[in-house]
Structures are given as C-alpha cells and as structure tokens.
Amino acid sequence: MEKRSFFGELVRGIWKDNPTFVLMIGLCPVLAITTSLKNGVGMAFAATFVLVGSNLMISALARFIPDGVRIPCFIVVIAAFTTIVELVTAAYTPELYKELGIFIPLIVVNCIILGRAEAYASKNPIGLSIADGIGEGLGFLLALVIISSIREVLGAGSLWGYQLVRWNEVTAIKPASIMVLPPGAFLLIGLLLGFFAWRKKRKAEKETAQGYAFQEGIVAEIESAERAKEVAKKEKKEEKSEESSGESQA
Amino acid sequence: MVFIIIIISAVLVNNYVLVRFLGLCPFIGVSRRMDTSVGMGMAVIFVMTLASVVTWIIQLLVLSPTEYNLLYQVAHLFWKDAKPSDFNLYPLLRTLLFILAIAALVQFIEMFIKKNSKALYDALGIYLPLITTNCAVLGVTVLNSQVFWANAGEGAPLNLSFLKATVQGFAGGVGFMLAMLLMSGIRERLEMAPIPKALKGAPMAFICTALMALAFGGFAGLVSE
C-alpha cells in the first residue's frame, strides 16, 4: 500500500480525483447555481465546510457506529453541519442565501459528501480525512470557479458583478443570455467533461508512446512468429485435405 | 384548476431535471436503456408522492408554529401561557427530519413491497436504495414546505396545502420520468451514432440534455406565476 501524506491527499482531491470533472458526482449544484462567480464561490465554501466537518466527525466516530445503521448515522452528521451552514448564511449573507435557495439544504444529499464519508472518512484517521475534505472541497471550488466564470462572462458580460463589456450601438456586443439559462449550463458541462476525457486519453496515449520503442520489437516478433505458425497450420491442413480427397477418389 | 396549473408547471415549465437541475445523478447514470429508466421513473414517482405526504405531516405535527404542533400541545398541558410561536423548529430541524423521513420511508417501502409484491419488487427493487440520495426527492419536499406552507398564511385551510403538496410531489415525479424516457430514447440511438471518442458517454448525454432543455424552454410562458 502506498504511503499517504496530508499534503498528498490534499492535492489528489483538487486535480486527480476532482469531484466534478473526474468523478462526475454532485453535479446538481454545479449546474444550478453557477450563474455568477459569487454564487459559485459561496456554494463551494458552504459545501467545503460541510465536507470537512462531516469528514472530521465521521472519521472520529466511525469505530463506534455499527455497520447496519452506518448510512443514517452519516446522514444525521451531515444534516447537522448543513443546518449550521444554512443558519449562518441566512444570518450573515442573506443575498447569497436567497440566490442559492433550495441548494443549501440539498447539500445533505450531495453525493460528494456522503461518498467521501463512506469511501474515505470512515476508514481513515482524522488528519487524513480532514486533508481529503479540504482537497475535495478545493477541487469543487476549482470546478465551480471555472464553470461559473465562463457562464457569467459569456452570459452576462460581467465577472464578480463588475461589468466587463459595455454594450451600446457602437460596440454592438450583446451577451449570450442562453449561457445563464439552463441549456447553457448543460452544454458547458458537456463540453468540459469532453475536454477532460480527451486530455485523459491523450495522456494515456503519451505514456504508451514512451514504452513503444521497446515494445515495438517484441510485438513484431510475436506477430511474425504467429503468422509463421498459421502458415504452417494451413499448409498442413491443405496437405491433409488433399490426402483425404485423394483417398476418397481412390 | 389550481392542481392542473401545479401539474403543468412541475412537468413542463419547471421540469425537475431540465430546469431545476434536480436529480441529475440518476438522470445521467440510469438513462442508458429504456427499461431501466422506466423502472427508475416509476420508483421516483412513488417515493416522491409518499415523501410529500409524510413530510407535510411532519411539518404540521413537529415543525410548524401552529396549534397542531405536538410539542406545543404537550407543553400547553403544563404551562398555560405557552405559545405556538415558541415552537418554530422549522429552520432548525427541517433538513434533518426530512432526510431521515425519506430514508426511513424508502427503507420501509422496500421491505413492504419485498414482502407483498414480488413483481413490483423485481421492477423497482434495485432502484429504491439509490433514491434516498436523489436530490429531486428532498428537493420537492423542501419546495413544498417553502411554497405551499409559507403562502398558506394565518387561518388558511390546511387541507388545500396538503393536496397541493401531494399533487406537486406526484407531478414532479412524472416530470422526472418524462425527462428520463426522452433521454433514454436519445441515448439508445447515440450508441450507433458516429460521435468523437472523447465525447462518448456522459459528455454527449449532457449536450443532448442541453438541446432538450432548450426545447423545454419553449414551455416557459405556459403558466404565469
């Protein structure tokens, strides 16, 4: 088993196991609230808080929880943290609370959080679980920042609320408001997932190319040997069939 | 009439998958074939309707600051000056109680149909455990509690809000199933289509969903809210 470090777990969650682009889980809030960068960042911090808190509690409590009622116990812990987030956002950032709306209570059923609790926090020590929580949270933040900034720039012509392009009769640039509507979200996530799949495939091809020169010789040898065998077999068969036909004629 | 508007709104105008972005995981994960998406859709309709009923009752009896609140009634026996508004547990316990109610409900349904109807269990059984974490189910209950409860006001007839919530739960499930069916039809054809290798699978499914959402955008003016 490979050795795990705090920092390694943190980085793994951001890029290699990015929850949105690689694991493809917890997509509902990613698509729903990324109409502006502010919302995206707010959602990411809310989810990260719940993720780190629930990872911490679950990895601490895992050995006391019987296996049969594991999932309901995890859900109770996650729901408690979600309620904290909900009350805090409602009190201190009412605008954000209004924008995110139903998706704050829905952090409870976000697959990222229950998935990490089940797959990681319940089996690993507290320190690593916190690192995993922070890493996955930052990965989620990265995904939300990418998607929401693209959508805000293309759809509203602004970023973090600041107008980037002033449109009037002279410039005649109009934002494509489809990008802040639902179809734009689906289109963008489809293209981004496609991009990540393409990158992954290209990387795999590069890795095989490095070992290719060495493999090429072996492959060629095996192929030529097999071909020789087949030729030999065919010749034998032909001989046999000729013999048998000869016999039957006789 | 009210109910027809709720149904049209939940199925077409504010489709739970295509417009509200709820329940995307099963929508992408299970829509590869027509028969599985029918099974999943039926299970979601079933659970959503029952979850709407159950969470409405929970809200009435435990969470709401009305005189029906059980905690208030118990307290009222001991302290005559207890007020219903002291028992507004809604912001504090809503998420926890609703998700626990849904989890328990799904477990209960699974046990019940396993014992009583073999055919139904074979059709829906494998989808039921997935539904606990389907955000469309929790989403519809939270929406019900926000929309129908908040608008009910003082002294409004509660049974109307109950029926509205149930109808919205059912219609939400129907909308989910509609989107699933359309998607699985498209994806069965996509298997044969010559598309770039990188876009195969989920990416292409999302792009098709974008086109579907665009089409559903045409229903936007159907119901004025």
Side-chain angles (χ1 to χ4, degrees):
Chain A
M1 206 176 127
E2 61 182 313
K3 210 179 166 224
R4 289 170 163 162
S5 67
F6 188 90
F7 193 68
E9 292 298 305
L10 216 150
V11 174
R12 183 182 53 81
I14 299 176
W15 193 247
K16 209 180 129 221
D17 275 0
N18 188 296
T20 302
F21 294 132
V22 181
L23 304 180
M24 279 197 249
I25 52 177
L27 287 175
C28 303
V30 170
L31 296 181
I33 51 84
T34 49
T35 48
S36 74
L37 187 55
K38 262 184 199 168
N39 291 354
V41 172
M43 182 73 205
F45 279 117
T48 307
F49 174 77
V50 178
L51 189 55
V52 174
S54 70
N55 263 10
L56 167 70
M57 288 298 285
I58 286 165
S59 79
L61 292 175
R63 77 181 89 153
F64 305 110
I65 297 175
D67 233 26
V69 291
R70 201 175 66 243
I71 300 289
C73 290
F74 292 173
I75 288 179
V76 170
V77 171
I78 297 168
F81 279 102
T82 309
T83 309
I84 295 173
V85 164
E86 199 181 347
L87 295 177
V88 169
T89 11
Y92 291 101
T93 51
E95 270 177 41
L96 185 70
Y97 179 73
K98 220 177 188 179
E99 288 277 329
L100 297 184
I102 187 175
F103 283 94
I104 295 182
L106 287 185
I107 293 176
V108 177
V109 282
N110 194 317
C111 319
I112 299 173
I113 293 161
L114 195 59
R116 292 326 286 177
E118 168 82 0
Y120 196 92
S122 61
K123 293 171 194 138
N124 284 289
I126 295 175
L128 289 181
S129 300
I130 294 174
D132 180 72
I134 298 172
E136 292 284 333
L138 288 178
F140 191 56
L141 175 71
L142 179 77
L144 281 171
V145 165
I146 292 176
I147 294 172
S148 60
S149 45
I150 293 177
R151 280 184 76 187
E152 199 185 344
V153 168
L154 291 182
S158 60
L159 196 62
W160 198 264
Y162 296 110
Q163 212 67 41
L164 295 179
V165 190
R166 286 192 189 287
W167 45 87
N168 46 38
E169 283 79 24
V170 184
T171 55
I173 298 173
K174 260 195 165 179
S177 58
I178 188 96
M179 290 309 289
V180 288
L181 294 174
F186 284 119
L187 186 65
L188 185 64
I189 191 82
L191 293 177
L192 280 173
L193 288 177
F195 171 73
F196 273 78
W198 173 75
R199 240 187 102 262
K200 207 170 159 190
K201 230 181 83 214
R202 211 181 55 152
K203 209 175 157 197
E205 273 170 12
K206 251 189 197 168
E207 273 167 12
T208 52
Q210 282 171 355
Y212 195 64
F214 172 67
Q215 284 175 4
E216 206 173 25
I218 301 175
V219 170
E221 262 176 38
I222 293 172
E223 275 182 357
S224 66
E226 276 183 358
R227 217 172 288 146
K229 260 187 201 169
E230 270 178 23
V231 171
K233 257 188 195 171
K234 257 187 193 170
E235 280 176 358
K236 258 190 186 173
K237 263 188 189 171
E238 276 169 13
E239 275 176 19
K240 263 189 187 173
S241 61
E242 273 174 19
E243 274 175 19
S244 59
S245 62
E247 277 170 13
S248 61
Q249 272 178 5
Chain B
M1 193 59 209
V2 181
F3 299 119
I4 295 173
I5 289 176
I6 290 174
I7 290 174
I8 291 176
S9 166
V11 175
L12 297 176
V13 182
N14 290 319
N15 188 293
Y16 273 70
V17 178
L18 298 172
V19 180
R20 286 199 208 269
F21 302 105
L22 293 172
L24 285 175
C25 300
F27 175 71
I28 294 296
V30 194
S31 68
R32 217 161 276 142
R33 282 171 50 216
M34 193 73 102
D35 48 350
T36 56
S37 63
V38 170
M40 187 73 189
M42 297 295 273
V44 167
I45 293 178
F46 197 55
V47 174
M48 260 186 168
T49 315
L50 283 180
S52 297
V53 172
V54 170
T55 53
W56 191 90
I57 294 169
I58 287 177
Q59 186 165 5
L60 180 71
L61 295 183
V62 183
L63 297 176
S64 71
T66 60
E67 60 203 42
Y68 300 102
N69 191 321
L70 288 180
L71 296 174
Y72 160 72
Q73 294 198 343
V74 171
H76 195 67
L77 293 178
F78 298 104
W79 301 284
K80 285 291 169 224
D81 52 350
K83 287 193 290 290
S85 55
D86 296 337
F87 293 90
N88 190 7
L89 295 172
Y90 179 73
L92 206 59
L93 287 179
R94 177 195 60 194
T95 314
L96 182 61
L97 284 186
F98 280 14
I99 187 69
L100 281 182
I102 291 168
L105 180 71
V106 170
Q107 198 76 42
F108 183 73
I109 292 172
E110 197 183 347
M111 284 178 345
F112 183 79
I113 64 171
K114 196 175 184 180
K115 196 153 186 235
N116 288 315
S117 163
K118 188 83 179 62
L120 202 60
Y121 184 74
D122 286 341
L124 306 183
I126 52 168
Y127 305 105
L128 282 173
L130 290 175
I131 287 179
T132 310
T133 54
N134 183 340
C135 48
V137 179
L138 185 62
V140 81
T141 58
V142 173
L143 273 178
N144 281 340
S145 75
Q146 283 175 350
V147 176
F148 297 134
W149 203 276
N151 290 353
E154 277 297 308
L158 282 168
N159 50 1
L160 191 64
S161 119
F162 176 71
L163 283 177
K164 277 180 180 169
T166 313
V167 168
Q168 168 141 302
F170 175 74
V174 171
F176 181 84
M177 189 171 170
L178 178 69
M180 282 281 277
L181 279 180
L182 292 174
M183 192 66 212
S184 63
I186 294 173
R187 284 186 81 169
E188 277 183 356
R189 305 248 170 144
L190 273 183
E191 299 278 310
M192 315 290 169
I195 49 175
K197 264 183 200 157
L199 291 181
K200 273 216 168 105
M204 201 60 200
F206 273 114
I207 293 171
C208 290
T209 315
L211 298 177
M212 272 164 67
L214 206 57
F216 270 70
F219 293 118
L222 213 54
V223 175
S224 59
E225 304 217 8

